[in-house]
């Protein structure tokens, strides 16, 4: 009887139901994509050719040496190279993997929205819209989805602590930042997003933010942009 009087018990139940609803929304759209006759795009075959013509070491070396940001996503290439011997050119197999990554991203968006907005219904609407609008059927966009997982994970750590992150939180956000940079160059903007959230959190809740962490990440951003300044555009 006591657990039924516990508010946290019912909040946990509501969260599980919200998760199940979002998973269902993503699953329905995933089923639509499977039945819609989608197949690979040109960029998908370009990725397949690249991973088959290159070893893991060559992919990593180009990512660290080449100035072109198009090479700076070796983690995504590693994932594709690892599953290619099993998936081959079976489109549905890759879409299953994309579905799993996108579902995780959708739940992360829900958690972030719930902390910021503080209303479960609106957070569900935001996450549900994200689930349908940003489910990409391009397998080459797995780089973006993996990068999104690191990006949203870092944002969740940040907003959960109200911008006041210490110790393991620092290591977690920095680790996710570097994972993002290894997956897609566009995640270099993460410190700007954290700064925007820090301003909002400080305005709403008046808490002290982790300025040292932001300064360190901004230094990485400047160093990275300096490195690729003479390279090709991000793709």
């Amino acid at each position: 009887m006591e657990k039924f009087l516990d508010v946290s018990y019912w909040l946990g139940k509501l969260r599980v139901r919200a998760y199940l609803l979002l998973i269902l929304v993503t699953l329905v759209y995933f089923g639509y994509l499977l039945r819609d006759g989608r197949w690979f795009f040109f960029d998908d075959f370009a990725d397949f050719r690249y991973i088959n013509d290159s070893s893991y070491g060559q992919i990593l070396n180009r990512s660290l040496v080449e100035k072109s940001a198009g090479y700076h996503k070796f983690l995504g290439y590693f994932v594709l190279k690892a599953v290619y011997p099993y998936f081959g050119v079976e489109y549905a197999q890759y879409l299953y993997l994309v579905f799993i990554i996108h579902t995780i991203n959708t739940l992360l968006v829900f958690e972030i929205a719930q902390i910021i907005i503080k209303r479960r219904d609106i957070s569900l609407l935001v996450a549900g819209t994200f689930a349908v609008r940003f489910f990409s059927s391009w397998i080459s966009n797995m780089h973006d989805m993996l990068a999104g997982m690191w990006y949203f994970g870092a944002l969740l750590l940040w907003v959960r602590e109200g911008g006041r992150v210490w110790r393991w939180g620092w290591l977690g956000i920095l680790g996710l930042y570097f994972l993002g940079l290894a997956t897609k160059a566009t995640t270099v903007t993460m410190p700007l997003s954290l700064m925007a959230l820090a301003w909002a959190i400080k305005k709403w809740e008046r808490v002290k933010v982790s300025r040292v962490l932001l300064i360190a990440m901004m230094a990485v951003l400047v160093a990275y942009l300096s490195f690729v300044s003479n390279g090709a555009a991000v793709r």
Side-chain angles (χ1 to χ4, degrees), residues 1-35:
M1 176 61 71
E2 291 183 1
K3 73 175 183 179
F4 293 107
L5 299 177
D6 187 357
V7 175
S8 61
Y9 170 79
W10 291 108
L11 289 176
K13 286 284 188 181
L14 289 173
R15 174 165 292 177
V16 170
R17 290 179 182 178
Y19 279 8
L20 291 175
L21 179 60
L22 290 172
I23 292 172
L24 178 62
V25 170
T26 312
L27 188 60
V28 168
Y29 193 68
F30 168 69
Y32 160 73
L33 291 177
L34 279 179
R35 294 176 59 87

Side-chain angles (χ1 to χ4, degrees), residues 75-107:
L75 274 186
Y77 286 134
F78 280 6
V79 171
L80 287 175
K81 189 172 180 64
V83 301
Y84 184 81
Y86 305 99
F87 293 177
V89 289
E90 292 292 331
Y91 176 76
Q93 304 298 324
Y94 293 96
L95 201 59
Y96 283 120
L97 182 57
V98 169
F99 162 73
I100 293 171
I101 298 171
H102 184 63
T103 302
I104 294 172
N105 286 344
T106 299
L107 298 181

Side-chain angles (χ1 to χ4, degrees), residues 165-179:
V165 185
W166 304 104
R167 296 178 183 176
W168 294 111
W170 278 46
L171 293 177
I173 291 176
L174 282 174
L176 290 167
Y177 187 37
F178 284 111
L179 284 173

Side-chain angles (χ1 to χ4, degrees), residues 114-125:
Q114 189 166 233
I115 293 172
I116 295 175
I117 302 172
K118 295 181 172 59
R119 285 190 56 179
R120 193 180 299 269
D121 53 347
I122 298 179
S123 300
L124 272 172
L125 179 62

Side-chain angles (χ1 to χ4, degrees), residues 2 16 41 43 73-74 94 105 126 131 156 160 162 173:
E2 291 183 1
V16 170
F41 289 82
D43 286 350
K73 45 187 180 181
F74 68 86
Y94 293 96
N105 286 344
V126 170
L156 180 58
R160 180 169 285 175
I173 291 176

